């Protein structure tokens, strides 16, 4: 039997297993410096940052981001998907034609950080405008806390 990856992830089973082995090995080692020699920055969430949140909540982590100079609300942070999803209705409300999205990547900017992000466009009704998956979260080196309902990452100006 031949098993291959999905249309979004073309890795083979052996490549995925090799990556898992590499991830497990790196998780067992402590790295105090980034590859460029800079000291590793620590991102911490504090108890008081969860102020006003019901401690027994099961709420999803939803944020706002600036995309093409427009503030977009109701963006779901989902660590369980390997793509970033934007819904066609969201593009319409942003006055973005579908043809604009495909050939020319547009920067996503927030907190003084700009990243070019690939999206899968879905033409289906949804309660969120965008779902950000692991590609964006990893590109931002973001740390999520579902307990605090927050996200943190390093910026050029401050931690």
């Amino acid at each position: 039997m031949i098993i291959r990856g999905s249309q979004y992830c073309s890795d083979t089973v052996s490549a995925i297993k090799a990556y898992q082995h590499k991830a497990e090995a790196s998780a067992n080692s402590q790295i105090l410096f980034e590859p460029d020699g800079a000291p590793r920055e620590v991102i911490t969430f504090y108890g008081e940052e969860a102020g006003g949140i019901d401690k027994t909540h099961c709420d999803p982590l939803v944020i706002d981001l600036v995309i093409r100079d427009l503030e977009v609300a109701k963006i779901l942070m989902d660590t369980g998907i390997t793509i970033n999803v934007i819904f066609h209705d969201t593009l319409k409300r942003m006055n973005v034609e579908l043809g604009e999205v495909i050939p020319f990547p547009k920067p996503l900017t927030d907190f003084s950080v700009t990243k070019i992000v690939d999206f899968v466009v879905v033409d289906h009704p949804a309660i969120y405008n965008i779902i950000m998956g692991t590609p964006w979260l990893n590109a931002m080196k973001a740390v999520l806390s579902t307990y605090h309902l927050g996200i943190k990452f390093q910026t050029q100006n401050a931690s």
Side-chain angles (χ1 to χ4, degrees), residues 87-141:
F87 294 93
H88 192 247
D89 287 344
T90 303
L91 291 175
K92 285 182 187 176
R93 288 192 304 276
M94 294 173 63
N95 292 321
V96 175
E97 295 294 326
L98 192 56
E100 291 180 66
V101 175
I102 296 169
F104 306 107
K106 302 297 181 196
L108 184 138
T109 306
D110 208 4
F111 309 105
S112 304
V113 177
T114 300
K115 293 284 182 187
I116 301 294
V117 178
D118 291 329
F119 286 99
V120 173
V121 178
V122 176
D123 192 5
H124 192 276
I127 60 172
Y128 301 107
N129 291 314
I130 296 174
I131 301 174
M132 297 304 261
T134 54
W136 182 79
L137 296 168
N138 290 339
M140 296 300 294
K141 297 182 182 177

